[in-house]
Structures are given as C-alpha cells and as structure tokens.
Amino acid sequence: MSEAEDNDILELDSETEEGDVEMNLMTDVVYSEELPTYKSMPKGQAVPKVERAEFNGNPDSLFFNDGKRRIDFVLVYEDESKSASEKKGSVMRRRQRRREFFEGSLMNMGVELEATQSVVDEKLVYVKVHMPFEVLCTYAEVLHIKLPIQPNDLAPQSSAYNCFTHHFYPSEDVIAKEADFFTAPFQKDQLKCFWVKDREQFFTPAMRSRMAYYILSRAPYDVKGNVKKFGFNKLLDGGVYKAAYPLHDCRFNVKSKEPDCPNERFLLYNEWAHPKSFYKMQPLDLIRKYFGEKIGMYFAWLGFYTVMLTLAAAVGLGCFIYGYTTRETSTWSKEVCDPRIGGEIVMCPQCDEICPYWRLNTTCESSKRLCIFDNYGTLVFAIFMSVWVTLFLEFWKRYQAELEHDWDTVEFLQQEEQLRPEYEAKCIYERVNPVTQETEKVPYTACGKCMRVSCGIGTVLFWVLLIIASVVGVIVYRLAMFITFSSKLRSELNNRKELEPFKEYVTPQMATSITASIISFIIIMILNSVYEKVAIWITDFELPRTKTEYENSLTLKMFLFQFVNYYSSCFYIAFFKGKVVGYPGQPVYWLGSLRNEECDPGGCLTELTTQLSIIMTGKAVWNNIQEVLLPWVKNLMFRHCTQVGSEKVIPRWEQDYRLQPIGKLGLFYEYLEMVIQFGFVTLFVASFPLAPLLALFNNLCEIRVDAWKITTQFRRVVPEKAQDIGAWQPILQGVAILAVATNAAIIAFTSDMIPRLVYYWAFSVSPYSDGSDHTMTGYINSSLSVFNIADFKKAIRPSEEITPYWFNNITTCRYRDFRHPPSHPNQYDFSIYHWHVIAAKLAFMIVVEHIVYFTKFMLSYMIPDVPEALKEQIKRERYLTQVILHETNIKHFKELMKPIADNLQNEIEEPELDLTL
C-alpha cells in the first residue's frame, strides 16, 4: 500500500459525509496486539476476493448456491461503483478498502463468503457467511459451548401444575418435544466423546449464528503496524455495511419448500404469536431454540408474572367490589351528602382572594368515589400484595432454576461468557489473577477503576437531580398558573357569552392540570432521549468486562432515571401535596408568593388513584399501539419503496433485509416497560386495587404483541445465552422492599383510615364525646377545624365579587385539619386530636412494616431458590457426565494404544520364533 493510500485511510477517521456517522479514531475498537482467536494476514499479502454468485432462483434456500454450505450470517452493503458521486468518491473508496480488508480477514480465519447482487436493488450486495465444521469446532471450544455427549436416560419430573397446564400446550405432533442430553463443554481434541450423528446438524443454527457473530465482532478491518481495528459494529455505524443479521428459516405464514427446513418460525407464529393462540401456553423450548436463551428467559418471566397476576387481580377486584357496594352506606359519606350536615358546613377558600366559599355537600360524589378505594378492604389488600410480591419473586427463582437446568445455563457465567471486544482492546496493564495466580492484562489499574466508577456515580446523581429539578419546576408552574387561571379564565368566561356552555367544564384546576401535564410530558420526552445517551456513555466509560456486566450496569442506570421520571409525580401527590399548607389565616407559600397546593375536596388519595389509572391505562394502550403499528408501518413503507414486479423471485436473505433491526439494546425496553408496570402494581396498590387487573389485561396482550413483533416484523436476532433475567432481578427485589414502606405510608398519611380509627376508638366516646358507644357518627364535623372569617388578612381575604349569594351573616368557615377553634386560648394551634392521629400513624407504620417484613423474611427462608429434587438431579447429571467422559476417554485411549500394543506383542513373539529355529 502506498503512502498516499495509507494517508487516505487515516483521513477516513476524521471525515464525515452527509447522513453518515463519523468514524472517529477515538471511538474505534483498537487492539495493540493480536488476539488468540484469529490470525492476521501477513504484511504485504494480497487481500483475497469474495466469490461472486448469481441468485439461483430458490427463495427458500438457506444455503450457498451449491446447496451444501449453510448461511450462518448475512452482511449487506451498497456497491460504491453504482452509487458514488464525485463529491463522495474518496469516502466510498475508503469504505471499499476497509470492507475488502475485513472480508479478507474473515476468509483468512477460515470463514467462507459468497456475494450475490440484490434482485430488488442493483446497488445492494449481500455477502453470505458460512462457518466450516473445523472453524465451528475451534470457536465452540473458545466459547465453551456445551454440546450433547449422550441421551439423558433420567426420568423427567412432573408436577400437578404440569398435569393441569399440558392441555394448553401445543400438540407434540405439531411441535415435537426436544430431546434431552447429558452435555459437556466442547473440546476439539475430544470430538469422539460427543454425540455426533451428523456433522451438519451437530451445531444448531442458533449456535452457528452466535459463533459467526463472535468472529465478525473480532475480525480486523484495518491494520497499521501494531495498531489493529476490529469489529463489524463500527463498520455498521460508519456505513461500510448497511445491515448484518442471521436468517429466518422460512416465511412466518408460509412453510418452506426445502425438505430439511424445520419451519420453526412458521410454527412459532401459528402456535404462539397468532391472536388465535392467546389461550395457549408458550412453547418456551422452541422459543429458546430459535431465538436463544436470553429471549426465551424474557418470555418465561413475562408468562410467569402474568400467571401470578391472576391471583392479585382476583383479590384486587374483590376489594374494589367491596368498596363499590359499601360506598352508599359509609357513615362519613352519608354525612358529607346530607343537606342538614354537609349542606350546612361552609368551607374556607382554597386560594387567596379569587377563590370563593363553598359548601361541603358539593363534594358528595367525590366522597363516594373515595369510599371505593379508601376502606378497610384496601388495608387487607395492601398487606396481601406485600406477601404476594414475595411469593412471586421466590417462586420465580425456583422456576428460573428449573429453566437454567433444562436449558443448560447453570454454569454459563463461570464458563461460557467471553470478554467484550471493547474491554480486550484496552487491556494494557498487568495484574496477578487472584484465582489462578497468573499474570493477566486488564484495561485499568485499581485507582483507574475507582476513578471511572466515581465519575459514573457522580454523573448519574447529577442527572437524577436534574430530573427532580424539572419536577419541582412543574410544581412551581402549577402553583403560579393556578392563580393566573383563577383570575383571568373566570372573568374571560363570564364576559364572553359564546363560552358560557363551557363554564362548567373549563375550570382553573382543569386548565392548570392539562397545561402542566403537557409541559411535564415534553420534559419527560426530552429527558428520555438525552439520558438514554448519557447512560450509554457512562457505561461505555466504565468499560465493563463482559456483555452481561455491561447490560446490568446500563439497566441499573436507566431504571434509576426512569424510576424518578415516572414515579416522581405519584410520590409528590401521595406524600407531599396538601401536607404542609398551614391554615386559612396563615397559609404556607413557596418562594414567598406561591401558595402551596391543597388536596382536592375528595382528598389526595382520589387524585393519586386517578393519576395511576390514567398513567397505567394510557401507557399500556400507547405502548401496544406503538409496538404494533410502528414496525408494521416501517416495513410497509420499505416494501412499497422497493416494490418490484411480481415475476421476480426474492431470496430469503433479501426478504429478511426488508424487516426491522431489533436494536442494540435488544429486550431492554421490553423489560423496562414491565418493571415500571410492576412498580405501579406494587408501590401504590393501596390507592388503586384495580392496578393488578389492568396489568393482567395488558400482559395478556403484551405477550402476543411481543411474540408477533419479534416473529413477523423484525430480523432474526443473534441468539444469546442468559442464565437469568440479569440486573432486573435485584431491581424487582428492591421495588418489593420499597413497596411495603410506600403502601404503609399511603394508608397512614394519604388516606383517612387512621384518623377514622382514632375517632372511632378514642374520640367518639367519653371524655371527648357525650356518647358511650363507639361510632363513626360525627366524624366529619370532628375532622374539620373552625376559622373566624374576621381573622383573614386583607391580602388573602376573598373578594366580595365572588362571594356566593347564600353567604349571609356567616362568621366562620371550616377547613381540613385538627386545630383549636378561634375561641380557644391556643387558637389555631394543633389540638390533642392531631397528636393522637400522628402517634397512631407512626405506630401503624412501625407495626405493619415489621410484621410484613418479618413475614417476607420467613417466606424467603422457607422457600428455597432451588428445589431439593432439582439439586439432586443436577448433582446426579454432573456425576454421570463425568463418568461418561471418563469412560469415553479410556476407550479412546485404548484405541490409540492398541496399535502400539500389537507392535510390542509382535516384537516379543519374533525373538521366540528365531530361538525355536
């Protein structure tokens, strides 16, 4: 290569073309030395060319044109010679050189390639990748892939649950049961130990694609001296390749005509993703076989979560029905609606100057709605949900342990997971491995790692505080605009006759709520897009060792951001709004001029319930519509733009190219959506017992929508191993622990349950009342304090223009609090009732939390994570595997030693023969 050409390649790192991603030298994967899993091309060696072949007209073929070599991966690029302009010509040439070097490196590593021009677009070229058996054996050993050594003759365990659910599984005539084998990590020199009936079928398509991805992510595309740049992901980002993906085995709605094709995609669509199969159990083994363990584990968790929700939904529905049927008979609701009680109670204005006096019975319907959710059944349901969430997590661990055993991922993290290429690229420091006591290379020193983690934590905290600041900003906006709307909106509606019909509906509260929600939505969307990039940048900077560590670190950051983003408004309504408002004569102000918000007349619990129902319903509907429509519309538009004549036959790899890519974060957003929903179901369930029912309906749709989307609208994902659900497990456990505290706090500080109980047991009888029997009669009058209208300051006194016509000769008004009346020596100070209620709330919090936490601890202790029978089976299988390998090795050793023994025997017999002669 000439010096000028070498300079051209260096310039590529700093040039950017329109619509292209800049390939910056600092972000490239650069290795300072050669990896052990490939061999670089010697300097000066000519780069081999990829074999070109015309499409043979078979649309269902999964093989090269010879019909023998299987396609394990497909790379797509745009032919520069047919699309380059003079302005972009130099960039195109540089791309071509990098691509040719990359493909030459693959062939030098033993990978076979075949290029075919597109049938639809002559500018596109599809490079098909095939992994020969020898290459597969090499990388199966590198990746420690477990492969069968002998059929498993141990009898499978069955349970009563399986006996009930097997009727809902697809027939074994349609989806055959997977054969079970004893397995062991593959070793190339012990090939005879493994169950090899057919060399072409020994490695499954999922294994082949996984190993092909491993090679592609480590093959060099540029070498200058000792500096080597690796990985096709950077080539994808830079536009050198347009796409890279493994192939689906057939069309989702039509069987393949290939005789050996298993048609697994077709089976998954018909028996799993199709709406007609909504009642069927998921074929998890086939999902795992086709998409890999990581996706299989997600759908297993989602299905288990949905099944467990049925119990919570049934109990929550029962609680709701109880509240609905008793709303008309509750004593406090009757007193509010009674014209002789609630109709005679005049309430104080809820803002300064522009808010009028009002009668308590105007909140009759709000009071009835509050009784639906604020009753003793809610307390029982909140405690039940605290136990339910513990049972859910513990039984999921047991089910997950069974899946780990069945899917052979028990020792995955210890044996199979490899280092990330980005981590390997930065390994320049040496340290002594504490386990092996051998020298190994790492990308940073102990001090450097501490600095990276510290910078990451600091950045995360900064962005969390920024999100909290945005929430506070929206609250300040609500306080300021409520006053503005109260003064201007009311006069505008009164002065304009054409707006008279809307006067009843367009209120200052509604206008404030709508505009604040729009602003909050805009802020959330902006922060969503920004802090996703921030979280990825921080995780990249921390440089995790393996992909699992990378995903766990990113998951924790993203969930922390989303937690603050989604739940901050609910925490504000539940625990802050209306808590520190003062009293009518001396209200509490923010920033010196903004009066703090009070709860709605129906109480803050009603507002929290409304907020949760709107968020859960709206989020579920929007997500499902988006997940269905967005990929479908994109694929429809792509097919329309690349429409060809019906006489043209389109090959399998080109059909898959028309589908949507799965995205770099894979299932991250699917997990995040469900975990956020899990938070709504558990954290605030005391205010909304119907949350589990809404979640159940959503999940029944979510399973099929996700299945339909991943089966029909997306390219086939690269199958990945996974032992569990990763960082989502401790996140769920953390949410479960927090849920106990939040629900206890909602019942204690947001609902009226504790004040009612205090009144019933203490203040409805002597010495605080004349009655001798415990009763709820008189609770409403007892819960409202008295304020003398003459004590209003001039700046906050309601104006006479808005004073109601019925407000004549009234000297006092009422407000929600427990304070002494104006005639008391300590007027407007907290009464003994207030301190009794505070003590009862704190006692309730302490007692309930300790009881529930103790119950959770005992359940966790009593339910082992791995069933004892499964532990014994795992030990038994490990023992038998070792015996089989040992016996096979001895047999192989005897076969190797037999010719030597025969020769020795012949040498011994020949001298004896000479002696007799």
Side-chain angles (χ1 to χ4, degrees), residues 297 400 404 409-414 721-725:
M297 192 65 71
Q400 182 175 257
E404 289 177 17
T409 61
V410 175
E411 298 176 349
F412 162 65
L413 294 180
Q414 292 77 19
K721 281 276 189 178
Q723 189 179 26
D724 47 35
I725 60 174

Side-chain angles (χ1 to χ4, degrees), residues 315-328:
V315 178
L317 181 61
C319 178
F320 173 80
I321 293 173
Y322 169 77
Y324 186 81
T325 54
T326 58
R327 74 190 192 283
E328 300 285 352

Side-chain angles (χ1 to χ4, degrees), residues 82-269:
K82 297 182 179 180
S83 61
S85 62
E86 293 183 2
K87 185 177 180 180
K88 300 180 182 179
S90 61
V91 176
M92 294 298 185
R93 287 195 300 273
R94 294 170 192 143
R95 285 184 178 180
Q96 183 178 359
R97 281 196 294 270
R98 286 198 166 187
R99 184 174 59 252
E100 290 176 351
F101 190 93
F102 178 73
E103 293 170 357
S105 300
L106 289 174
M107 288 186 283
N108 192 61
M109 296 160 69
V111 177
E112 297 178 3
L113 306 178
E114 182 181 83
T116 301
Q117 190 173 357
S118 170
V119 174
V120 176
D121 186 354
E122 63 177 8
K123 294 184 294 185
L124 294 180
V125 178
Y126 295 84
V127 179
K128 294 164 282 185
V129 179
H130 170 73
M131 304 270 289
F133 187 77
E134 289 299 322
V135 177
L136 289 171
C137 290
T138 299
Y139 285 90
E141 186 171 0
V142 170
L143 295 174
H144 301 282
I145 292 179
K146 289 185 175 182
L147 289 163
I149 55 176
Q150 182 176 307
N152 189 343
D153 54 0
L154 295 177
Q157 294 182 346
S158 60
S159 65
Y161 176 77
N162 293 333
C163 295
F164 172 76
T165 59
H166 83 275
H167 299 289
F168 297 96
Y169 280 100
S171 171
E172 291 189 8
D173 296 333
V174 179
I175 299 179
K177 188 176 181 181
E178 293 292 322
D180 194 11
F181 288 89
F182 292 116
T183 61
F186 183 78
Q187 294 183 10
K188 192 174 181 179
D189 58 353
Q190 295 183 349
L191 182 60
K192 291 188 176 182
C193 299
F194 292 87
W195 188 266
V196 186
K197 281 191 172 182
D198 183 356
R199 288 164 64 99
E200 296 301 323
Q201 302 295 328
F202 182 56
F203 297 101
T204 65
M207 293 178 186
R208 299 174 70 105
S209 298
R210 184 176 158 215
M211 287 186 276
Y213 181 85
Y214 182 85
I215 293 177
L216 291 171
S217 63
R218 283 161 174 77
Y221 61 82
D222 196 4
V223 177
K224 301 181 185 68
N226 291 328
V227 177
K228 306 176 183 68
K229 300 179 183 178
F230 286 69
F232 76 111
N233 286 319
K234 298 306 295 184
L235 299 180
L236 286 170
D237 294 338
V240 176
Y241 288 104
K242 298 179 71 68
Y245 50 89
L247 289 180
H248 283 294
D249 64 353
C250 65
R251 296 172 63 184
F252 70 87
N253 54 355
V254 179
K255 279 190 174 183
S256 173
K257 296 180 181 179
E258 290 289 313
D260 296 330
C261 181
N263 288 293
E264 292 174 347
R265 186 189 186 196
F266 176 80
L267 292 176
L268 285 171
Y269 174 71

